[in-house]
Amino acid sequence: MDKNIKIWLDGKLYTWKHAKIHVLSHSLHYGTGVFEGIRFYKTSRGPAIFRLDEHLKRLFYSASCLKLKTPYTKKQLETAIKEVIVKNKLSDGYIRPIIFYGAEHLGIHPKGCRVHSAIAAWAWGAYLGTKPVKTLISSFIRIHPKSTFADAKICGHYVNSMLASVQAIEAGCDEAILLDYKGYLAEGPGENIFIVKNGQLYTPSEGNILKGITRASIMEIAKEFNIKCKEKKITVKELLSADEAFYSGTAAQVSAIGMINGKKIGNGKMGEITALLADHYDKIVHGKVKKHLNWLTPVR
Ligand code: PMP
C-alpha cells in the first residue's frame, strides 16, 4: 500500500500516518462498520468512477442495517470521493469508503457512539492477477442469511471471507469459493460467481450473496449480447461440470476460474463467453461504450 496517500476522515484530509482512530472504537471490537469497494478508471475524459451511485446506495443501505447514521449525505460523500482522487493525483484505482462507530461506549449496543466516515483511494491493479484462477471450495460456508443482513457490506462479514481466503491460499490455490448453508454455490470471499453451460450463463439467486454491482452489470451486458442469464440454485456438480466459470466483482472485475478443487473447468483457460464479457466490461469501464457512459461519473 502506498503510504503517501491522503485519506479523508470526517471531513478533513489527513496524511496516511495521521489518519487514525481510537483503539476502543466499537467497530474495531465488533465489526460494526460498513464499507464499499469502488473502482475508477482512466477514460478519454479523465478519471471516471464506475457506478458510483449504485455503490453509494449500497453503502447507505448497509449503514441503515447497522443503524449507522453518517452526518454526510450521498452528495457530500460523492464530492469527498472526487476530492480524494484529485488530491492524490490518481488516474485509476480503487476507492474505499467506510462508515463506523467510534469509541464513546463499548457495550454491544452502540448507543452514544459517534459515527465516523472515511475515504481512501489508491492505485490497484488486477486483484486476482490475469491468469485463470485456481480455486478451492471452502469448508467454511457463507454466513447464514438469518444470522445477519447477508446482502449488506458489513465489516464483520469479512471474517467469514478471510477464513475462506486463507484456507484456499494455504491449500496452494488463489481464491476460495463458498457454498451456502444448504450446500449450493454462494460466492467468493469478495466476488460473485457465474458459470457457463451450453452457451448460457447461470449465477446464484439472491438471498445468500452480496448483490454485486459488477454482477448486475454483467447480467445487463449478457442480455445485450443475447446471452441468456438465469439466477438459480447451483449445485457443486453443476459448478464442477461447467464449460466456463468466472468471478465478478469491483476488485476482481471479470476473472476466469481455471480450476476448482484440482479439476479443470473447460480446458482450464479463459472460455469464449467469459472473454467476450471481460472484454466488453473493460471497454465500458474505460468509457469506450457510448451506451454505458451513464455508468461512469467523471471525477472533474
Ligand atoms: N461478494 C462479496 C462478498 C464482496 O465483497 C464483493 C465485493 N464488493 C462482491 C461479492 C462483488 O460485489 P461488487 O461487484 O459490487 O463489487
Side-chain angles (χ1 to χ4, degrees):
M1 160 144 318
D2 178 3
K3 299 207 174 123
N4 294 310
I5 58 170
K6 292 190 182 69
I7 297 169
W8 184 95
L9 174 61
D10 294 330
K12 281 194 215 149
L13 277 179
Y14 294 88
T15 57
W16 193 92
K17 220 166 109 182
H18 293 105
K20 288 184 179 167
I21 62 160
H22 199 277
V23 287
L24 294 182
S25 293
H26 192 278
S27 295
L28 173 66
H29 291 252
Y30 305 126
T32 51
V34 298
F35 68 99
E36 268 305 314
I38 311 171
R39 268 193 193 267
F40 58 103
Y41 296 88
K42 217 182 254 180
T43 74
S44 61
R45 300 188 300 165
I49 307 163
F50 186 62
R51 307 207 76 170
L52 178 60
D53 199 42
E54 286 80 358
H55 281 286
L56 286 174
K57 273 193 190 130
R58 190 170 65 188
L59 181 67
F60 276 73
Y61 163 70
S62 302
S64 75
C65 292
L66 297 190
K67 321 251 180 244
L68 276 158
K69 290 196 178 72
T70 171
Y72 299 99
T73 61
K74 279 198 199 91
K75 197 76 210 156
Q76 284 171 318
L77 290 185
E78 177 173 335
T79 305
I81 286 173
K82 290 177 179 169
E83 186 192 353
V84 172
I85 295 172
V86 171
K87 290 277 163 65
N88 282 296
K89 299 188 177 64
L90 293 164
S91 55
D92 65 86
Y94 183 84
I95 308 158
R96 169 55 59 85
I98 181 164
I99 302 175
F100 58 97
Y101 284 115
E104 284 71 20
H105 177 75
L106 255 190
I108 305 260
H109 193 294
K111 61 179 173 254
C113 285
R114 257 189 78 191
V115 173
H116 299 280
S117 316
I119 301 162
W122 61 90
W124 208 7
Y127 180 65
L128 292 174
T130 49
K131 288 199 208 113
V133 183
K134 252 172 84 180
T135 67
L136 177 81
I137 300 177
S138 180
S139 63
F140 295 105
I141 60 159
R142 162 93 172 137
I143 39 170
H144 195 289
K146 288 201 171 158
S147 298
T148 179
F149 296 94
D151 60 348
K153 209 163 159 62
I154 295 174
C155 296
H157 291 181
Y158 286 81
V159 171
N160 177 232
S161 290
M162 177 265 197
L163 290 170
S165 179
V166 167
Q167 188 182 48
I169 285 161
E170 281 183 356
C173 293
D174 309 305
E175 186 61 309
I177 290 177
L178 289 92
L179 304 179
D180 68 15
Y181 69 101
K182 287 183 177 159
Y184 294 107
L185 175 64
E187 60 181 349
E191 311 88 1
N192 293 113
I193 297 175
F194 286 84
I195 63 166
V196 179
K197 188 76 188 175
N198 300 326
Q200 196 168 330
L201 273 179
Y202 299 91
T203 194
S205 318
E206 291 176 7
N208 202 6
I209 57 165
L210 186 79
K211 285 187 266 174
I213 291 160
T214 320
R215 174 182 179 272
S217 307
I218 291 296
M219 285 163 73
E220 228 175 296
I221 298 167
K223 210 189 271 174
E224 289 163 19
F225 281 95
N226 288 322
I227 300 166
K228 282 203 183 109
C229 180
K230 195 167 172 203
E231 295 175 73
K232 70 175 211 90
K233 291 188 173 82
I234 297 171
T235 63
V236 170
K237 200 170 155 196
E238 287 169 318
L239 173 65
L240 292 174
S241 61
D243 300 330
E244 303 177 30
F246 62 89
Y247 287 115
S248 75
T250 297
Q253 305 176 100
V254 176
S255 294
I257 295 176
M259 197 176 264
I260 305 176
N261 285 8
K263 185 190 176 294
K264 268 190 195 165
I265 299 303
N267 61 7
K269 302 210 169 80
M270 182 186 272
E272 223 173 276
I273 291 182
T274 308
L276 175 87
L277 296 169
D279 180 62
H280 203 66
Y281 182 78
D282 192 66
K283 286 196 177 107
I284 290 173
V285 298
H286 289 99
K288 293 177 186 161
V289 180
K290 210 164 165 201
K291 180 166 186 218
H292 289 299
L293 282 177
N294 61 342
W295 282 355
L296 292 168
T297 305
V299 169
R300 289 190 184 87

